[in-house]
DNA sequence: ACGATTATTGCGTTCTT
DNA sequence: AAGAAAACAATAATCGT
């Protein structure tokens, strides 16, 4: 799903490779399609205000009923038949609560998953996978005690990992209502309890996207892809942040061909530091 | 919880203009 | 000569397992 070859690039007739969010020409680097905007849930459609939320604040994170629930009290002053009727009502009410809580959580998480996936320009099937993942999480009872926001983000991130689609944690968090810690807590739980088949993502998967952000020539990108493949081969990439490796490959390629990419700018698009780029660059050279 | 990678910071050096 | 970029080093934070 990561590499589809169809008709040629409108610009130079080169090969088009499609990653989850962008269709990029491998020869000239032209980004053919990169639709990131979704006109989904309404709070996202309102630009910056004091708060994007239209509803009030008292929704507590990580309490599964989100702070909104109704209890039927137990009064000692009511006796007899009336009392037993109340007890029955309480039982039924609570049962109803449990199922609707789940549903409410689902609706909430699904909409959140939707805004994240569309913000990242991820395809529909990935969104569905993320949603399914959350259902599994619910039925395995691992949601309790962790934030729903974290799960929404984690389900998206996990789906990317499983499907070898290159998105960093930071990129996901940027679109999500969760922070890094929440994502990780949920992601760890997901991995532990569900045993996801998540391999590391190959650095080469990051190259096209970063290449277009850096606005480098097509031959630089092509060379960077070769370097990325080498890194995976030779073990330079193993154990390292694939995003950083991709940045180093782009830097090296650009340097080879007298491009103007500095370690700092390469590091910047990949969300790593120049030091990281430099270290991988050195290792890449010595191979 | 551990070991390895990465971030951060600061600093003397090399390259560019 | 001045400023930017690349290099190096030490410690703190974070990641993958």
């Amino acid at each position: 799903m990561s590499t589809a070859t169809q008709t040629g690039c409108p610009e130079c007739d080169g090969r088009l490779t499609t990653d989850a969010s962008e269709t990029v020409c491998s020869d000239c680097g032209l980004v053919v399609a990169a639709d990131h905007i979704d006109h989904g849930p309404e709070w996202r459609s309102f630009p910056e205000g004091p708060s994007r939320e239209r509803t009030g604040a008292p929704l507590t994170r990580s309490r599964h009923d989100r702070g909104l629930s109704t209890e039927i009290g137990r009064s000692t002053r009511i006796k007899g038949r009336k009392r037993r009727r109340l007890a029955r009502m309480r039982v039924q009410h609570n049962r109803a609560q449990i199922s609707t809580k789940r549903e409410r959580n689902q609706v909430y998480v699904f909409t959140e998953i939707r805004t994240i996936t569309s913000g990242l320009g991820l395809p529909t099937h990935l969104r569905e996978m993320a949603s399914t993942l959350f259902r599994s999480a619910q039925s395995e009872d691992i949601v309790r005690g962790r934030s729903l926001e974290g799960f929404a983000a984690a389900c998206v991130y996990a789906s990317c990992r499983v499907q070898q689609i290159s998105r960093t944690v930071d990129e996901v968090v940027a679109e999500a209502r969760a922070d890094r810690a929440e994502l990780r807590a949920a992601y760890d739980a997901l991995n532990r309890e569900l045993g996801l088949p998540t391999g590391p993502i190959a650095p080469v998967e990051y190259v096209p996207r970063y290449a277009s952000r850096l606005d480098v020539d097509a031959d630089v990108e092509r060379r960077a892809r070769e370097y990325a493949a080498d890194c995976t081969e030779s073990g330079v990439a193993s154990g390292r942040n694939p995003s950083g490796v991709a940045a180093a490959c782009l830097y090296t390629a650009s340097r080879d061909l007298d491009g103007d990419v500095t370690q700092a700018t390469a590091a910047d698009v990949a969300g790593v530091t120049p030091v990281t780029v430099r270290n991988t660059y050195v290792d890449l050279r010595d191979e």
Side-chain angles (χ1 to χ4, degrees), chain A residues 3-254:
Chain A
T3 325
T5 316
Q6 311 121 343
T7 48
C9 165
E11 190 69 28
C12 69
D13 223 41
R15 230 163 24 100
L16 293 181
T17 67
T18 306
D19 120 316
S21 72
E22 293 169 345
T23 300
V24 185
C25 172
S26 37
D27 288 325
C28 67
L30 176 76
V31 177
V32 178
D35 186 10
H36 287 263
I37 298 146
D38 172 65
H39 315 283
E42 63 173 332
W43 67 64
R44 272 298 189 187
S45 309
F46 288 94
E48 301 307 327
S51 162
R52 274 196 296 262
E53 293 175 71
R54 316 188 70 211
T55 47
L59 300 182
T60 330
R61 283 195 171 201
S62 74
R63 195 184 156 188
H64 55 301
D65 63 0
R66 314 200 57 67
L68 299 173
S69 58
T70 310
E71 302 279 328
I72 296 177
R74 305 159 185 271
S75 168
T76 45
R77 302 219 324 245
I78 304 172
K79 302 284 181 195
R81 221 166 50 196
K82 207 170 205 172
R83 178 161 198 184
R84 278 185 290 141
R85 214 178 83 220
L86 267 181
R88 242 185 358 260
M89 280 174 65
R90 186 158 51 231
V91 168
Q92 289 201 322
H93 178 78
N94 286 345
R95 271 191 202 134
Q97 275 285 310
I98 287 165
S99 74
T100 59
K101 263 179 216 163
R102 276 204 160 197
E103 281 162 26
R104 269 207 309 265
N105 286 354
Q106 254 183 31
V107 170
Y108 178 74
V109 170
F110 285 1
T111 31
E112 172 68 358
I113 284 175
R114 188 189 197 98
T115 78
I116 298 171
T117 51
S118 69
L120 291 168
L122 297 168
T124 311
H125 76 267
L126 191 136
R127 189 179 82 213
E128 279 160 13
M129 179 172 178
S131 303
T132 310
L133 217 49
F134 179 69
R135 272 214 195 80
S136 312
Q138 274 188 322
S139 47
E140 294 297 317
D141 204 31
I142 59 179
V143 180
R144 184 179 316 195
R146 295 182 249 264
S147 85
L148 292 172
E149 291 80 1
F151 267 96
C155 288
V156 173
Y157 179 66
S159 303
C160 287
R161 288 289 292 265
V162 170
Q163 304 203 10
Q164 290 276 303
I165 291 173
S166 63
R167 290 295 182 278
T168 62
V169 175
D170 285 323
E171 285 174 312
V172 175
V173 166
E175 299 294 330
R177 298 161 77 83
D179 58 29
R180 212 174 274 90
E182 287 173 310
L183 190 156
R184 205 193 147 131
Y187 179 69
D188 285 352
L190 237 37
N191 252 325
R192 184 156 21 84
E193 306 296 328
L194 265 43
L196 301 175
T198 53
I201 291 175
V204 68
E205 301 291 328
Y206 286 94
V207 171
R209 237 154 23 96
Y210 292 169
S212 99
R213 284 193 211 167
L214 285 168
D215 198 29
V216 296
D217 289 340
D219 37 344
V220 171
E221 181 188 332
R222 205 174 315 133
R223 187 174 268 254
R225 270 213 299 278
E226 290 167 14
Y227 278 134
D230 292 347
C231 286
T232 315
E233 273 300 305
S234 65
V236 170
S238 62
R240 284 204 234 254
N241 177 356
S243 176
V245 174
C249 292
L250 277 159
Y251 165 73
T252 311
S254 170

Side-chain angles (χ1 to χ4, degrees), chain A residues 249-268:
Chain A
C249 292
L250 277 159
Y251 165 73
T252 311
S254 170
R255 184 191 171 90
D256 286 350
L257 303 167
D258 302 314
D260 57 356
V261 178
T262 68
Q263 295 178 349
T265 53
D268 197 49

Side-chain angles (χ1 to χ4, degrees), chain A residues 253-284:
Chain A
S254 170
R255 184 191 171 90
D256 286 350
L257 303 167
D258 302 314
D260 57 356
V261 178
T262 68
Q263 295 178 349
T265 53
D268 197 49
V269 299
V272 297
T273 64
V275 184
T276 303
V277 171
R278 179 159 48 248
N279 288 339
T280 10
Y281 156 70
V282 169
D283 283 2
L284 180 56

